[in-house]
Amino acid sequence: MTASGTFGVGDAGIVENTGTLYLDGATVNALKIGTLTASTGGTINYNLAGAQTVFPGNYYNLILSGSGEKTYAGARAVSYDMTIGSGVTANLDNTITVSGGLKLGTTWKSASSWGFTGSSAANINTTYFSTGTGKVVNALSHTSTTTTITTTYTPSSSNDEETTTTTTTTTTTTTPAMNTIAGCGARTTGFSSSTGASCVGNTGTATTTPAATVIPGCGNRNTGFSSSSGVSCVGNSVGASSAYNYNFGSAVLKNGSRGEAVMELQRFLNAKLNLNLVVDGMLGPKTIAVIKTWQAANALVADGLVGPATKAKMNAQ
């Protein structure tokens, strides 16, 4: 079917199976979203020899042919394949997500993203794309492989002629796309946190850094045992920052203080200074002397009082 000029369909207009609808009007404006469906196998071909505005909908197979610039607005989807013919340029203002393959001219392109200069596409192409900052993201790579099989007939008599039959078989293989959009992590919605580009079509995965294994009371050691819990230090990440938050309580700790908060202070000093203090919850003058030395080394008032500033500095280490 070929539609020239104005083309209208009813509420159930369908192009299906292997059917193709050719649209060669300069502007396709008689269609409404939901009124024309290119169902499984159906193809819509914009084939005007000149500029065309592509109807802003979703398609099954989409072909832009003829010649001139084809303007396609909005973030749209093509359920299977998209082709941009020779002599045609696509002007896109957003991302076209193609679940199948992308053919530029006569060449199937690898699974990736494609667009004009200034787009966020991984592959810049000024032959088939123009002006717009949008891009096409194709999920599959179509690779055509041709195999020739030759069968020779052996004559059974002098009257028979030798014949050769050649069969050509074309197979298509597909590989998943890897189109990582920087700043999108594993998201396929929203926008990139680094470039502001749409995350539609992103196939990246969030990069995670394995957490360091820090054993409280082992400091920078990966041998021996924790001074605070007694567990083995084997497997402790040397030089890693501990995620352990010491609970020093709300009261100011000083000479003569007792209780669980003092035990946490003793655990801290054992872990950070590799001391062998008995974790008994009693704060005496020898420990106060150690605290004053530590305060001086950390640009704090060396008064031996463990208040808010000292506690914060301790938990920052």
Side-chain angles (χ1 to χ4, degrees), residues 47-308:
N47 66 323
L48 178 69
Q52 275 182 293
T53 299
V54 179
F55 171 65
N58 299 324
Y59 297 84
Y60 187 79
N61 288 298
L62 176 64
I63 298 176
L64 306 181
S65 64
S67 62
E69 183 180 71
K70 314 298 183 183
T71 301
Y72 193 6
R76 305 298 178 183
V78 176
S79 299
Y80 200 63
D81 291 337
M82 179 174 178
T83 298
I84 303 176
S86 298
V88 173
T89 59
N91 180 353
L92 312 175
D93 70 357
N94 214 306
T95 297
I96 308 300
T97 303
V98 179
S99 298
L102 173 66
K103 182 189 285 187
L104 300 182
T106 59
T107 304
W108 289 107
K109 309 309 291 185
S110 59
S112 187
S113 59
W114 307 81
F116 190 68
T117 304
S119 72
S120 61
N123 300 278
I124 301 301
N125 185 300
T126 58
T127 301
Y128 293 94
F129 296 91
S130 62
T131 310
T133 57
K135 62 184 176 181
V136 174
V137 178
N138 57 305
L140 298 177
S141 295
H142 289 322
T143 304
S144 298
T145 303
T146 302
T147 303
T148 301
I149 303 174
T150 302
T151 303
T152 301
Y153 174 73
T154 303
S156 59
S157 69
S158 59
N159 294 325
D160 290 337
E161 294 182 1
E162 184 176 303
T163 60
T164 300
T165 302
T166 301
T167 303
T168 301
T169 303
T170 301
T171 58
T172 301
T173 59
T174 58
T175 55
M178 290 303 294
N179 179 58
T180 301
I181 300 176
C184 289
R187 294 181 293 112
T188 56
T189 58
F191 299 90
S192 165
S193 60
S194 58
T195 65
S198 172
C199 290
V200 174
N202 176 53
T203 57
T205 56
T207 302
T208 58
T209 302
T213 302
V214 179
I215 302 175
C218 289
N220 289 328
R221 296 179 294 112
N222 52 24
T223 59
F225 299 90
S226 166
S227 58
S228 59
S229 65
V231 300
S232 174
C233 291
V234 174
N236 179 52
S237 295
V238 177
S241 297
S242 174
Y244 184 78
N245 193 43
Y246 291 90
N247 183 8
F248 298 119
S250 58
V252 175
L253 303 180
K254 56 187 177 181
N255 188 28
S257 294
R258 294 171 177 262
E260 181 60 34
V262 174
M263 294 176 69
E264 280 286 83
L265 176 61
Q266 291 168 329
R267 294 186 186 105
F268 169 82
L269 295 172
N270 283 339
K272 301 300 181 180
L273 303 180
N274 291 321
L275 301 180
N276 291 308
L277 298 175
V278 177
V279 182
D280 56 6
M282 295 185 292
L283 189 53
K286 291 183 179 180
T287 303
I288 292 296
V290 172
I291 291 172
K292 288 180 178 180
T293 301
W294 183 90
Q295 288 174 321
N298 286 275
L300 295 170
V301 177
D303 55 8
L305 300 176
V306 183

